[in-house]
Amino acid sequence: MKIFKIITLGLLFLATTTIRAQVSINVNIGTPPSWGPSGNSDAEYYYLPDVESYYDVRATQFIFISNGQWIRSRYLPRRYRNYDLQHGQKVVLNDYHGRQPYVYFKNHRERYNRSYKSHDEPQRNVGMREEKHEGHGGKEHGGKGHGKGRD
């Protein structure tokens, strides 16, 4: 009977420890990267027309074609190692909520080709700070800030 109580207490302790670990791990999942477009904190995917790739915000992974297969990776492929995520175009895909945004790749590539530029104001990134500069005639003009990229 004493062994049964010890085993039960051990399992109870193990279960509570596992539950706490899961809570702390899941806290930061889905946080937009500093280079992501601001104002889209609930976005699941970005399409990056310049490199014909996707970014999965929740999984913090890039999705791209390599040797005819769609690959998920924490980093863009080597051929894009010098690509500037801060200043490159990002298209927020608000209309897709599955696990394979690339099933619409043909449509995305046609609609948002490599020379695609948003018709709105220039994109502001999550990590950009608003800087104010004294301009001519005492008027203030907002400047472009610089944020740090992730990955």
Side-chain angles (χ1 to χ4, degrees), residues 31 56 58 75 133-134 138:
T31 303
D56 183 335
R58 289 177 296 157
Y75 305 98
H133 299 283
E134 203 53 43

Side-chain angles (χ1 to χ4, degrees), residues 7-67:
I7 291 173
T8 304
L9 286 173
L11 289 174
L12 184 62
F13 176 75
L14 182 63
T16 58
T17 304
T18 303
I19 291 170
R20 284 190 207 140
Q22 287 176 349
V23 170
S24 65
I25 288 172
N26 292 330
V27 170
N28 291 326
I29 291 177
T31 303
S34 63
W35 52 264
S38 65
N40 294 290
S41 60
D42 58 342
E44 294 180 34
Y45 294 98
Y46 306 142
Y47 175 63
L48 310 172
D50 300 331
V51 293
E52 295 184 336
S53 302
Y54 295 91
Y55 183 74
D56 183 335
V57 177
R58 289 177 296 157
T60 63
Q61 293 177 327
F62 292 95
I63 307 169
F64 53 86
I65 295 176
S66 179
N67 296 323

Side-chain angles (χ1 to χ4, degrees), residues 102-116:
Y102 47 84
V103 297
Y104 297 107
F105 176 65
K106 183 178 177 184
N107 294 342
H108 293 147
R109 185 172 52 187
E110 288 174 6
R111 185 171 181 188
Y112 312 109
N113 58 39
R114 288 179 185 238
S115 62
Y116 172 79

